[in-house]
Amino acid sequence: MAQGCNLCNRNCNVSRNNGKTGFCRETEIVRLARAALHYWEEPCISLSCGSGAVFFTGCSLGCIFCQNAPISSSQVGREVSVPALADIFLSLEQQGAANINLVTPTHFVPSIIRALDLARGKGLALPIVYNTGSYDSVETLRMLEGYVDVYLPDCKFASSSLSAALCHASDYYEKALSAIDEMLRQTGPFVFDPSTSDVPVPKYADLSFFSEHTAMKKGVIVRHLVLPGQVEDSCSILKDLYARYGDQIFISIMNQYTPMRDFSSDPSLDPKLAAALSRKLTTYEYEKVLSFAKKIGITNAFIQAGHTAKESFIPAFDYEGLPDQ
Ligand code: SF4
């Protein structure tokens, strides 16, 4: 990265190859917190064998309620060379992973592409899943054309005041929608792989995250985590996504928000917002969002069943699967 970094819409323009860091807090040297089989993604991503999740350190979005705060805030991370990253991909394939799942990869895209080229040269055949907060620039996503099979972008907030308060990006929504446009342009409408299971293509409202399912071969699954106190914002997002993409994408409507701290003493937050973020989502709130989704005709959706707001769903960032330093 000889030029300044503009991989995401922060456009920090810093020379990360000189050890400098921008908003994401990372130089251009890849750091990881974990690379292991992961069973808690949508059923068509995890299957019963597990997704090969590679957790990258740092984040270009930095939501204040982040469920993976130890890595997004760069507290946990081990440096990994590009050849070592390629070997990690190959090791996950040998362990039986359904795919390579790149988690929060935006700020390392050039290195990831080099590692994928190396791994492909050594026989890597798994589909690639790109799991992002969706603040990637469109130019960065274009670099990934031909490398990514399934995009797993978040669509977190519609309201600009909400995104300004929660991730310091008042333009989040417009940028996320532009990113999703580009992802869908690359993959086209979703395709499932019938050879992986005889379970029919999933339909809304009879799904849990914990069942075996047909693998998604290519496509886009937009994830929306419903936040406590933000039912209106969630409905607005669902309405816009369905109007814009119809049945070409899947939408994953998530209820697993886990308050990682008490926000009530945060002076930068509106007290009502702070109080809501300090609690879990209620069943009533989640049901309201699901009812709205059904009412407007969404059928291609994953929903979460039962009580998912547990810290136990957050993986241990213990360097599992990484080479020793
Ligand atoms: S990837 Fe990091 S350094 Fe580059 S523009 Fe985004 S936040 Fe800034």
Side-chain angles (χ1 to χ4, degrees), residues 129-205:
V129 177
Y130 187 85
N131 185 336
T132 174
S134 303
Y135 209 47
D136 316 67
S137 74
V138 169
E139 291 70 28
T140 299
L141 293 170
R142 285 196 185 124
M143 292 162 64
L144 291 161
E145 186 158 14
Y147 286 93
V148 173
D149 300 285
V150 177
Y151 281 101
L152 206 48
D154 292 330
C155 192
K156 293 170 184 275
F157 332 95
S159 150
S160 59
S161 59
L162 195 58
S163 62
L166 301 187
C167 69
H168 308 290
S170 58
D171 62 354
Y172 173 80
Y173 196 41
E174 64 188 75
K175 299 295 187 192
L177 291 176
S178 297
I180 296 166
D181 287 350
E182 170 59 20
M183 294 172 195
L184 186 59
R185 184 196 69 75
Q186 288 181 26
T187 67
F190 63 82
V191 176
F192 284 89
D193 181 356
S195 70
T196 53
S197 165
D198 57 4
V199 179
V201 170
K203 285 292 176 191
Y204 186 77

Side-chain angles (χ1 to χ4, degrees), residues 102-317:
L102 308 166
V103 184
T104 322
T106 312
H107 46 294
F108 293 125
V109 160
S111 298
I112 289 169
I113 287 174
R114 285 178 12 238
L116 284 172
D117 283 338
L118 278 177
R120 292 273 190 239
K122 291 180 175 179
L124 180 76
L126 289 181
I128 306 301
V129 177
Y130 187 85
N131 185 336
T132 174
S134 303
Y135 209 47
D136 316 67
S137 74
V138 169
E139 291 70 28
T140 299
L141 293 170
R142 285 196 185 124
M143 292 162 64
L144 291 161
E145 186 158 14
Y147 286 93
V148 173
D149 300 285
V150 177
Y151 281 101
L152 206 48
D154 292 330
C155 192
K156 293 170 184 275
F157 332 95
S159 150
S160 59
S161 59
L162 195 58
S163 62
L166 301 187
C167 69
H168 308 290
S170 58
D171 62 354
Y172 173 80
Y173 196 41
E174 64 188 75
K175 299 295 187 192
L177 291 176
S178 297
I180 296 166
D181 287 350
E182 170 59 20
M183 294 172 195
L184 186 59
R185 184 196 69 75
Q186 288 181 26
T187 67
F190 63 82
V191 176
F192 284 89
D193 181 356
S195 70
T196 53
S197 165
D198 57 4
V199 179
V201 170
K203 285 292 176 191
Y204 186 77
D206 58 353
L207 303 166
S208 86
F209 261 19
F210 311 111
S211 58
E212 187 176 0
H213 234 297
T214 310
M216 187 176 278
K217 207 168 162 184
K218 64 169 195 150
V220 178
I221 304 172
V222 178
R223 284 177 159 176
H224 175 64
L225 176 66
V226 183
L227 294 175
Q230 302 301 333
V231 166
E232 218 174 281
D233 201 64
S234 292
C235 293
S236 172
I237 288 170
L238 294 179
K239 190 170 160 214
D240 290 349
L241 288 176
Y242 197 51
R244 196 170 178 115
Y245 306 115
D247 292 327
Q248 297 182 89
I249 62 164
F250 258 73
I251 304 176
S252 182
I253 307 170
M254 306 167 80
N255 69 352
Q256 67 185 49
Y257 176 80
T258 304
M260 304 304 281
R261 64 182 170 94
D262 180 7
F263 293 90
S264 55
S265 57
D266 188 333
S268 70
L269 288 178
D270 168 76
K272 202 172 153 201
L273 177 60
L277 287 176
S278 304
R279 65 168 171 84
K280 292 176 184 172
L281 185 75
T282 65
T283 304
Y284 177 72
E285 287 173 315
Y286 190 50
E287 290 295 333
K288 267 185 102 168
V289 174
L290 296 184
S291 300
F292 180 81
K294 284 185 214 173
K295 195 175 95 186
I296 63 172
I298 293 175
T299 54
N300 293 334
F302 295 106
I303 64 169
Q304 288 184 302
H307 299 286
T308 53
K310 287 189 204 155
E311 287 179 49
S312 58
F313 285 99
I314 299 166
F317 298 120

